[in-house]
């Protein structure tokens, strides 16, 4: 039986969540500081354990995949915390963000139905509360839709797990390697439940409302951290050899998401709503490459979703700074008014578009390479079409940022946002120049 050291990140996140919740009513600044400390400590614990031997528990495993995904989830949570304001009705925000991060870390190492469901629901319920914290009409609508659709996704997932147990007598992921009609039905329902968490078509309806109505930090966590954790869980399920319908379902979800997400994003003038619809397309690339079943599919999917996270965090942080309903016209001359915010958003859009000198360029490269290796020509065609559409609407927003206006420079950004934008931009540039740093760390 391994010691408690592999569980240290989860202990830090859980203890930090309790401490932050206790401090929230009277000392919101202290609550935020405790949350930041817990997230940073958990990230360090995950990072230091990357080369350590694997440790297995009853419901979770502490291996390289779980540690890398947990590290990215914690860093994304820390980035989201940087522009989450705990004042007013949002005092419990830092504690809720810690609970969501804890759920994502647990989900990254799940090997059993119980840990899978617990991790997913920790993320979902904490995000529902984060979405509605502003108590505005649009925030309540976002939280309501996420709650109702999340309940439907959880019910579908539970039904799949129940069928798997009925067919195999086990709740371990490895049970899905068996064959039979009941196991195939269980895998299909399980995949549908996970597709909701990834916002894959047709389970994507909550995404644009979450990005426009919820606080930007909550949307950033939902779009970056939670998806990293879900992709880690899907990769772990994929390694056990589920029924053939699993790959077909991933391919169908992925192809539909690439097409719909990019086509609808093409028509958006609001930056947050555009990012919401484009995030559907980005998760579509990941699902498509996993469904294609290439030899390097797992590495391609993990690399893509990890490099997507800092770009999305930076873009949503700037969108929040510009205004809750920022539109393309509001970005005009941003690089001259707020140079750091303007350049950070510009590089984030370049990375999301998959253009050179950014991490997103290599993300698209590994996706296309894996699809070519799998000879998945239809999916490759859809991915190329989606990339072309994405480049158009991202560059449309990018061009506006550099239009010079006679407005004076705006006041300096708050310290936390400044650090986040610098680190996110640095990570995007570094992985654009040296993608091997992440590729070598993949399991």
């Amino acid at each position: 039986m391994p010691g408690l050291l592999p569980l240290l990140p989860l202990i830090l996140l859980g203890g930090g969540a309790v401490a932050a919740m206790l401090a929230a009513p009277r000392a919101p600044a202290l609550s935020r500081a405790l949350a930041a400390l817990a997230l940073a400590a958990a990230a360090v614990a995950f990072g230091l354990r990357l080369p350590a031997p694997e440790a297995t528990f009853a419901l979770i495993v502490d291996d390289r995949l779980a540690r890398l995904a947990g590290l990215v989830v914690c860093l994304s949570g820390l980035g989201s915390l940087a522009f989450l304001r705990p004042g007013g009705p949002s005092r419990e925000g830092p504690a809720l963000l810690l609970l969501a991060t804890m759920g994502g870390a647990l989900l990254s190492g799940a090997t059993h139905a119980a840990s899978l469901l617990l991790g997913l629901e920790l993320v979902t319920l904490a995000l529902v509360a984060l979405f509605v914290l502003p108590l505005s009409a649009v925030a309540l609508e976002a939280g309501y839709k996420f709650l109702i659709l999340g309940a439907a996704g959880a019910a579908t997932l539970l039904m799949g797990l129940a069928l798997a147990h009925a067919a195999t007598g086990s709740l371990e992921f490895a049970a899905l390697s068996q064959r039979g009609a009941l196991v195939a039905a269980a895998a299909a329902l399980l995949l549908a439940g996970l597709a909701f968490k990834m916002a894959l078509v047709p389970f994507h309806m909550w995404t644009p409302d979450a990005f426009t109505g919820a606080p930007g930090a909550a949307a950033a966590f939902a779009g970056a951290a939670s998806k990293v954790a879900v992709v880690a869980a899907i990769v772990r399920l994929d390694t056990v050899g589920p029924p053939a319908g699993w790959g077909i379902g991933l391919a169908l979800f992925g192809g539909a998401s690439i097409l719909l997400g990019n086509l609808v994003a093409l028509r958006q003038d609001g930056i947050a709503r555009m990012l919401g619809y484009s995030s559907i397309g980005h998760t579509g690339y990941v699902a498509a490459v996993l469904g294609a079943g290439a030899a390097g599919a797992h590495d391609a999917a993990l690399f893509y979703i990890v490099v997507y996270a800092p770009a999305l965090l930076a873009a949503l942080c700037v969108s929040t700074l510009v205004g809750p309903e920022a539109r393309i016209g509001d970005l005009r001359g941003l690089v001259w008014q707020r140079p750091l915010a303007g350049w950070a958003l510009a590089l984030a859009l370049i990375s999301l578009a998959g253009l050179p000198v950014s991490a997103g360029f290599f993300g698209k490269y590994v996706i296309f390479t894996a699809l070519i290796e799998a000879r998945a020509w239809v999916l490759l065609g859809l991915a190329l079409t989606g990339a072309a559409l994405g480049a158009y609407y991202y560059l449309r927003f990018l061009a506006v940022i550099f239009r010079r206006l006679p407005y004076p420079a705006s006041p300096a950004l708050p310290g936390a946002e400044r650090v986040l934008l610098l680190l996110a931009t640095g990570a995007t540039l570094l992985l654009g120049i040296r993608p091997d740093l992440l590729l070598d760390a993949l399991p």
Side-chain angles (χ1 to χ4, degrees), residues 154-218:
T156 305
L157 190 79
L158 273 173
M159 189 63 181
L161 295 172
L163 287 179
H165 184 265
T168 66
S170 173
L171 288 173
E172 298 283 344
F173 285 180
L176 290 175
S177 62
Q178 300 184 30
R179 293 296 176 261
L182 210 54
V183 176
L189 290 170
L190 181 59
L191 181 59
L194 291 170
F196 164 80
K197 308 299 180 182
M198 279 189 71
L200 292 170
V201 174
F203 307 102
H204 65 286
M205 290 79 74
W206 59 272
T207 308
D209 293 296
F211 274 63
T212 53

Side-chain angles (χ1 to χ4, degrees), residues 95-152:
L96 291 168
L97 196 61
L98 273 176
L99 287 175
T101 307
M102 182 181 176
L106 177 62
L107 183 59
S108 301
T111 58
H112 190 277
S115 50
L116 175 71
L117 188 65
L118 180 60
L120 282 172
E121 292 314 298
L122 263 177
V123 173
T124 301
L125 295 177
L127 282 177
V128 169
L130 278 169
F131 283 1
V132 302
L133 278 181
L135 300 180
S136 62
V138 288
L140 292 171
E141 181 183 357
Y144 177 76
K145 286 183 177 178
F146 190 68
L147 175 63
I148 297 301
L149 294 172

